[in-house]
């Protein structure tokens, strides 16, 4: 288990936990692009109940292509998106890598939704690439 901490840009939201990293993914879907305002999103997936997010967080839910409900956890003051949840993955939370303090934990295992990747985005050729959501 690894102790983690993270926060939004203004510090209004913080979280901490003692987690086991399940998976780290670079996601190139248009939702991640829009939600983060960046070329892609990088998520560190851990057990939701291992992370304590401050109650100052705001939530935004929207439907995914799959029919699942995606929930963004963000700061209503500075706009940072600190984490996300997917109703199809009960008990798992995806921490947005940029808000996580322990940068050495951010070791992506794959690139997903490569079909909607921004053409200039370079990807590590060593990593698996999936056109959409893996299998
Ligand atoms: Zn903030
Ligand atoms: Zn995505």
């Amino acid at each position: 288990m690894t102790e983690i901490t993270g926060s939004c840009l203004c510090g209004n939201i913080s979280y901490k936990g003692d987690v086991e990293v399940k998976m780290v993914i670079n996601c190139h879907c248009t939702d991640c692009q829009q939600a983060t305002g960046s070329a892609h999103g990088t998520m560190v997936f851990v057990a939701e109940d291992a992370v304590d997010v401050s109650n100052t967080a705001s939530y935004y839910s929207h439907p995914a292509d799959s029919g699942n409900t995606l929930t963004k956890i963000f700061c209503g003051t500075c706009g940072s998106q600190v984490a996300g949840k997917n109703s199809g993955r009960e008990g798992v939370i995806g921490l947005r890598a940029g808000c996580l303090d322990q940068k050495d934990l951010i070791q992506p295992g794959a690139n997903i939704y490569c079909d909607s990747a921004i053409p200039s985005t370079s990807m590590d050729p060593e990593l698996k690439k999936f056109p959409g959501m893996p299998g």
Side-chain angles (χ1 to χ4, degrees):
M1 303 290 267
T2 308
E3 286 192 28
I4 57 157
T5 49
S7 60
C8 66
L9 178 61
C10 75
N12 181 41
I13 300 180
S14 60
Y15 61 79
K16 57 181 173 11
D18 194 8
V19 304
E20 194 125 33
V21 175
K22 295 174 185 294
M23 192 171 32
V24 182
I25 291 285
N26 292 326
C27 184
H28 302 267
C29 80
T30 50
D31 280 355
C32 283
Q33 289 166 351
Q34 289 184 307
T36 63
S38 192
H40 66 84
T42 299
M43 266 93 62
V44 178
F45 292 99
V46 301
E48 187 180 1
D49 61 9
V51 184
D52 205 6
V53 181
S54 57
N55 61 10
T56 46
S58 297
Y59 293 79
Y60 173 70
S61 293
H62 64 104
D65 304 348
S66 57
N68 293 338
T69 300
L70 303 182
T71 303
K72 310 303 191 219
I73 303 169
F74 66 99
C75 175
T77 302
C78 71
S80 295
Q81 192 197 137
V82 298
K85 290 194 288 185
N86 181 337
S87 65
R89 286 175 165 273
E90 276 300 324
V92 175
I93 190 168
L95 303 171
R96 292 292 190 184
C99 294
L100 180 66
D101 294 327
Q102 287 69 32
K103 306 302 185 196
D104 54 335
L105 292 179
I106 306 165
Q107 293 177 20
N111 285 287
I112 67 170
Y113 284 96
C114 294
D115 277 0
S116 50
I118 292 174
S120 63
T121 301
S122 62
M123 293 184 210
D124 183 344
E126 304 284 299
L127 298 185
K128 275 180 274 183
K129 275 185 171 185
F130 296 91
M133 183 69 106

